[in-house]
Amino acid sequence: MPVTIPAHLLPADGRFGSGPSKVRPGQVDALVAAGARVLGTSHRQPPVKDLVRRVRRGLAELFALPDGYEVVLGNGGSTAFWEVAAACLVRHRAQHAVFGEFGGKFAAATARAPFLAAPQVLAAEPGSVALLEASPAGDDAVDLHATPHNETSTGAMITPVRAPGSAERGALTVVDATSGAGALPVDLAETDVYYFAPQKAFAADGGLWLAIVSPAAVARAAEVEAGAAAEGRWVPEFLSFTTAVENARADQTLNTPAVATLVMLADQVEWLLEQGGLEWAAARSAESAAALYGWAQAREWATPFVADPSHRSTVVGTIDLDEAIDAGAVIAALRDHGVLDVFPYRKLGRNQLRVGMFPAVEPDDVRALTACVDHVVAQLA
Ligand SMILES: *Cc1c(COP(=O)(O)O)cnc(C)c1O
């Protein structure tokens, strides 16, 4: 018999994806309002440049940028930024904290670059975290430390993010904040590059990368790019960090961006600021997370996947279900009722629910989701 969930249990909005994630109705209204004025017009003219300026200014305010830091953007999403960093930010050797798929993908990118030494990989089992370490000395020295802020594939987060000691010797700290930015507290002075994409906490569509960069990061890229030719190192224009910085300063991107994404992103940044900024956003995600993990801990058949409570992500919650319960059947029953995208990360292969709890998601909807899971599990039994 198919499982049915009574309407009164359902969340008001059933989107719990970990990226793409829920887009607020207000962002869609902003899109409609942008209509003929901005959509379908040149990205080199004032209306679209104004949008980019709103995004850059809004992010500068949201993150209270330290002196000299700036907001840079380009096309291709966070995945493209890994290649930008490999091409322009790593001088010789990178260090990667790897505790899930996304951290691993960046490590694979620098490992493949023929002009770089093999990266130092600090690995930890999925569900735990690996922390950056001060660089070894000598030939093995690393000049760039890379870590995810929030590992979206496992639901493990690092707070606070800290630069390891070797930053004093000029190494950069580069943080993949794709799913953490805008929903987790951060001290940007500990980072040189804090990069992300719009389809997670910023509730827009994918396709862009954004990065908050320090003067040291800008100087590193200038040095690497200037010396590249002499070293036989190729920096494609599309991957040039310096070119992206120059374009961002003029409120544009190297090539055509998706204007609709910029509209939704600008609206979300301003909405977050109106609600109370980063502190508000972080508290709201933390409220959702407390509801989710508290619920799981009160069930014999559900367990937070991340063992250490201080590393349990407040933006992407992962809950293992007892093997007697088929998580796939639970997820399918939820989907039939419009409760969407709570599947685990594909390659993790666990009997698990994964719940996006970005600031756009109402904490009450997370509570409603848990009630729906209770109901489905009881019916399946
Ligand atoms: C989603 C995600 C990415 C990939 O982002 P794209 O914009 O799709 O390239 C990278 N890192 C983390 C931590 C993510 O959550």
Side-chain angles (χ1 to χ4, degrees), residues 52-272:
V52 175
R53 185 175 306 118
R54 275 171 59 199
V55 168
R56 294 182 68 238
R57 280 210 186 133
L59 289 172
E61 189 182 342
L62 186 69
F63 288 101
L65 295 203
D67 270 358
Y69 280 57
E70 54 193 310
V71 179
V72 182
L73 69 169
N75 281 310
S78 291
T79 300
F81 192 79
W82 294 326
E83 307 301 344
V84 172
C88 305
L89 293 175
V90 185
R91 194 185 283 136
H92 175 65
R93 186 172 191 228
Q95 177 188 79
H96 295 269
V98 175
F99 45 97
E101 281 295 319
F102 291 107
K105 286 181 183 191
F106 187 12
T110 64
R112 273 193 304 262
F115 42 83
L116 298 178
Q120 180 190 15
V121 174
L122 307 170
E125 285 303 308
S128 62
V129 303
L131 297 178
L132 296 174
E133 291 174 4
S135 168
D139 288 349
D140 286 342
V142 304
D143 52 71
L144 182 147
H145 301 273
T147 185
H149 194 176
N150 183 71
E151 180 46 82
T152 321
S153 67
T154 67
M157 69 175 180
I158 290 181
T159 53
V161 168
R162 288 227 174 82
S166 42
E168 287 151 26
R169 297 208 305 271
L172 300 178
T173 300
V174 173
V175 179
D176 180 351
T178 307
S179 58
L184 295 182
V186 64
D187 176 3
L188 286 179
E190 295 283 329
T191 75
D192 291 289
V193 180
Y194 190 72
Y195 65 94
F196 49 95
Q199 74 275 23
K200 316 256 166 133
F202 293 100
D205 266 332
L208 280 179
W209 59 260
L210 297 117
I212 298 174
V213 307
S214 71
V218 174
R220 168 70 66 84
E223 169 212 309
V224 167
E225 293 183 55
E231 287 174 30
R233 178 169 172 158
W234 177 45
V235 180
E237 188 184 30
F238 187 65
L239 301 182
S240 165
F241 185 91
T242 302
T243 301
V245 170
E246 285 163 2
N247 276 289
R249 286 174 181 165
D251 293 317
Q252 54 187 356
T253 44
L254 170 68
N255 63 319
T256 319
V259 178
T261 301
L262 288 168
V263 173
M264 291 190 287
L265 171 59
D267 188 78
Q268 180 71 354
V269 170
E270 288 163 8
W271 180 77
L272 289 171

Side-chain angles (χ1 to χ4, degrees), residues 289-308:
L292 181 74
Y293 295 124
W295 163 81
Q297 283 171 308
R299 300 287 170 282
E300 288 204 333
W301 42 265
T303 317
F305 172 49
V306 176
D308 181 341

